Amino acid sequence: MNIDQSKIPQATAKRLPLYYRFLKNLHSSGKQRVSSAELSDAVKVDSATIRRDFSYFGALGKKGYGYNVNYLLSFFRKTLDQDEVTNVILIGVGNLGTAFLHYNFTKNNNTQIIAAFDVDEQKIGTEIGEVPVFHLDELEERFPADTPVAILTVPAPAAQSISDRLIECGVKGILNFTPARLSVPDTIRIHHIDLAVELQSLVYFLKHYPNE
Ligand code: ATP
């Protein structure tokens, strides 16, 4: 199973965690194989796309058999580095940030928020969901070693300068929940999730493209 991961298209790579989660559930219910149609139904990705995605992983489904669940799981585990826990920090312990601190990410994937930062004196020095909250002024000195990922849940005007500091600290990827568009070097990955925009877009689609 020697697969050149740089050959996997980004759109395919983005679907990996989705596939992985579903296959883990299948595996724990004792299933050994799965068809692309079953997968398609569960993860809501059309089966042609699934077949193409899986061909990148060297998983060629057999007609009448489907895919071998164990093979796929071990591939995903390796590719997603699920054997190791990835450290994450969170900046901005407001409503959304607090919800993330309480949410147990390790249940579904091996990431763990290990520290949080804010500027609100009421929050500093507390622990939320067992995660300590530090002052943002101490970011550089408290930055935990080996932490490639940061979640940004601060007000938009603070986002750019905090991102610059995070990158200086060694962060490689930022999950940006603020509406701010961040400018970062090409080597840094930003995934932008604007919940208000997503919600608005859902409402728009419901209005203009209603399902029959
Ligand atoms: P949310 O948007 O998550 O629902 P909220 O409405 O509770 O949060 P916001 O004003 O959006 O509050 O702020 C989110 C959090 O970011 C708050 O805990 C706030 O103290 C913190 N915050 C504000 N400015 C900064 C900053 N410059 N650096 C770090 N944290 C900040």
Side-chain angles (χ1 to χ4, degrees):
M1 197 167 41
N2 254 338
I3 287 146
D4 183 354
Q5 291 183 15
S6 64
K7 298 257 164 64
I8 297 177
Q10 290 199 10
T12 300
K14 272 196 160 180
R15 287 188 283 270
L16 283 181
L18 193 67
Y19 295 143
Y20 180 61
R21 189 199 297 213
F22 178 69
L23 285 162
K24 264 204 312 200
N25 291 341
L26 273 188
H27 181 70
S28 47
S29 68
K31 273 201 87 167
Q32 305 280 323
R33 59 194 198 177
V34 63
S35 68
S36 50
E38 272 175 283
L39 263 167
S40 167
D41 202 41
V43 298
K44 304 289 176 241
V45 173
D46 68 274
S47 50
T49 304
I50 292 183
R51 281 196 295 273
R52 203 185 47 237
D53 283 353
F54 282 21
S55 68
Y56 291 113
F57 320 150
L60 303 167
K62 289 195 205 93
K63 237 190 168 20
Y65 177 88
Y67 295 96
N68 182 309
V69 171
N70 282 330
Y71 173 88
L72 285 172
L73 265 185
S74 59
F75 172 79
F76 289 141
R77 222 173 261 134
K78 226 170 135 189
T79 310
L80 294 166
D81 273 340
Q82 297 285 315
D83 293 336
E84 264 174 55
V85 174
T86 302
N87 292 335
V88 177
I89 61 166
L90 178 137
I91 320 288
V93 189
N95 288 312
L96 195 55
T98 301
F100 287 142
L101 295 184
H102 285 296
Y103 184 75
N104 184 3
F105 285 99
T106 41
K107 208 168 49 180
N108 286 313
N109 60 48
N110 275 7
T111 54
Q112 192 178 19
I113 302 178
I114 56 168
F117 294 85
D118 203 291
V119 289
D120 183 345
E121 294 295 345
Q122 306 267 9
K123 294 172 184 166
I124 289 145
T126 64
E127 278 197 2
I128 300 179
E130 295 180 20
V131 180
V133 182
F134 302 114
H135 199 291
L136 189 73
D137 286 352
E138 296 178 354
L139 177 68
E140 286 74 9
E141 66 194 86
R142 298 270 189 189
F143 186 84
D146 287 330
T147 304
V149 176
I151 299 176
L152 214 50
T153 42
V154 291
Q160 182 65 57
S161 64
I162 294 174
S163 302
D164 296 343
R165 288 173 65 191
L166 288 169
I167 293 164
E168 277 291 306
C169 288
V171 162
K172 302 286 179 229
I174 297 175
L175 195 56
N176 175 23
F177 281 91
T178 81
R181 294 281 161 181
L182 302 173
S183 309
V184 296
D186 289 345
T187 50
I188 306 297
R189 231 189 134 82
I190 306 283
H191 282 202
H192 187 216
I193 303 177
D194 188 327
L195 291 175
V197 168
E198 295 294 331
L199 200 54
Q200 212 172 22
S201 127
L202 176 63
V203 171
Y204 176 87
F205 274 91
L206 285 181
K207 267 196 196 140
H208 296 276
Y209 304 95
N211 290 336
E212 296 303 298

